[in-house]
Amino acid sequence: FAVFPDIETGFDAEVSNLEKPAYQDKTVLQAVSRWAPKGDDNDPATYARTISSWTGLDVNTPLNQLTRPIDQCRECHSAF
């Protein structure tokens, strides 16, 4: 668990983590499940479906197949 001074710093940390090899072989759902595990009282399936509805990505899309510039995701992220 981490606390950041502002949304921008937190988003940059999130992007940095998601670009690491440990996440690149994961699907959207798997990455969300690792980022916000159910065991910590999160609902990764709902989070993944929300990301899917905002981006049009299937929850089973591997992160290493994404080519959309990450800056375009900032708008989606700010809604969390």
Side-chain angles (χ1 to χ4, degrees), residues 2 8 10 15 19 22 39 41 50 56-57 66 69-70 74 76 78:
E8 188 70 24
V15 169
E19 290 177 337
D41 293 323
T50 300
L57 292 171
L66 301 180
I70 198 68
R74 290 181 191 277
C76 294
S78 66

Side-chain angles (χ1 to χ4, degrees), residues 3-79:
V3 176
F4 300 98
D6 53 53
I7 290 174
E8 188 70 24
T9 302
F11 183 81
D12 290 343
E14 182 177 9
V15 169
S16 177
N17 278 333
L18 293 174
E19 290 177 337
K20 291 179 180 176
Y23 280 98
Q24 285 296 298
D25 67 340
K26 306 272 186 262
T27 65
V28 172
L29 177 57
Q30 290 169 330
V32 170
S33 295
R34 183 172 176 176
W35 189 269
K38 191 173 186 176
D40 288 345
D41 293 323
N42 294 298
D43 187 350
T46 297
Y47 296 164
R49 284 192 304 272
T50 300
I51 291 168
S52 178
S53 72
W54 289 346
T55 63
L57 292 171
D58 185 285
V59 298
N60 295 308
T61 301
L63 297 184
N64 61 11
Q65 290 183 7
L66 301 180
T67 58
R68 187 172 157 187
I70 198 68
D71 287 338
Q72 293 179 12
C73 294
R74 290 181 191 277
E75 182 179 327
C76 294
H77 183 271
S78 66

